[in-house]
Amino acid sequence: MYSVLIKTIEQLQLQNISEERKVILQPLIDFVQQKINDKQDININFICTHNSRRSHLSQVWAQAAAARFNIPNLNCYSGGTEETALFPKVAETLTNQGFNIFKITDTHNPVYAIKYSDNTLPVIGFSKKYDSPFNPVSAFAAIMTCSQADGGCPFIAGAERRIPITFEDPKISDHTPEQSKVYAERSLQIAAEMFYVFSKISR
């Protein structure tokens, strides 16, 4: 992994994960562990309303955490109840925290390659609906990262498990002097929780 990213990861232990949040995260731990026990591929689709902020942060950090803990055959995806675009501040925040990010296409909905190490496949980041052909169609865990998507999607076709793990939207800080701080804090919260999840997996 990149050196700046390693330094960011080393700081995650300073993030306090409450007992309440650990209970919320446990179903995802159980899903991954069961797939490991059954020697099956692990597919996780992080879903929020616009697939622009929280779902991408969760997807990227979960994939990096899985790599850090050598969890095999795990693929992370993201989607929304509607398609918009990956919010540029998310890419900027992840870059500042150590990821290498570059645009593959520069359109109204840009496609980003997000790398945590030179010699690994990048996470492909762009906004899409949760049921996009880019995402898995069956045997995946649907992780609802916002309450709006959780409430607005009573049924996720093909999902083996549906697990609400919601985060406060950093969008509340847009157009304020606190924006960079809020996005960095939300990213680190998500990172800490994803690293907690994968630290609990036994192989």
Side-chain angles (χ1 to χ4, degrees), residues 62-101:
Q63 194 73 61
R68 185 69 165 176
F69 289 102
N70 298 309
I71 307 300
N73 304 317
L74 184 141
N75 298 293
C76 294
Y77 303 84
S78 66
T81 55
E82 58 185 272
E83 175 188 309
T84 56
L86 191 155
F87 192 62
K89 193 69 178 181
V90 169
E92 178 187 316
T93 300
L94 290 171
T95 298
N96 291 340
Q97 292 174 342
F99 291 88
N100 184 13
I101 302 178

Side-chain angles (χ1 to χ4, degrees), residues 91-157:
E92 178 187 316
T93 300
L94 290 171
T95 298
N96 291 340
Q97 292 174 342
F99 291 88
N100 184 13
I101 302 178
F102 56 93
K103 283 183 181 179
I104 299 174
T105 67
D106 193 3
T107 61
H108 72 282
N109 182 10
V111 178
Y112 295 84
I114 305 166
K115 300 191 75 171
Y116 49 83
S117 178
D118 277 332
N119 294 326
T120 56
L121 285 171
V123 175
I124 303 300
F126 67 101
S127 183
K128 71 203 82 67
K129 289 190 69 176
Y130 65 85
D131 57 357
S132 163
F134 188 86
N135 289 338
V137 298
S138 63
F140 63 91
I143 309 301
M144 314 306 289
T145 64
C146 76
S147 55
Q148 294 93 333
D150 192 30
C153 289
F155 176 71
I156 303 292

Side-chain angles (χ1 to χ4, degrees), residues 5 26 30 45 64 84 95 109 155-156 185 188 192 197 203:
L5 181 57
Q26 189 61 46
D30 294 341
N45 191 0
T84 56
T95 298
N109 182 10
F155 176 71
I156 303 292
E185 288 175 350
L188 290 176
V197 165
R203 296 178 54 200

Side-chain angles (χ1 to χ4, degrees), residues 24-40:
I24 290 169
L25 295 168
Q26 189 61 46
L28 178 55
I29 296 171
D30 294 341
F31 174 81
V32 175
Q33 187 65 63
Q34 189 62 55
K35 292 292 184 181
I36 292 284
N37 294 347
D38 294 342
K39 297 181 170 55
Q40 295 178 343

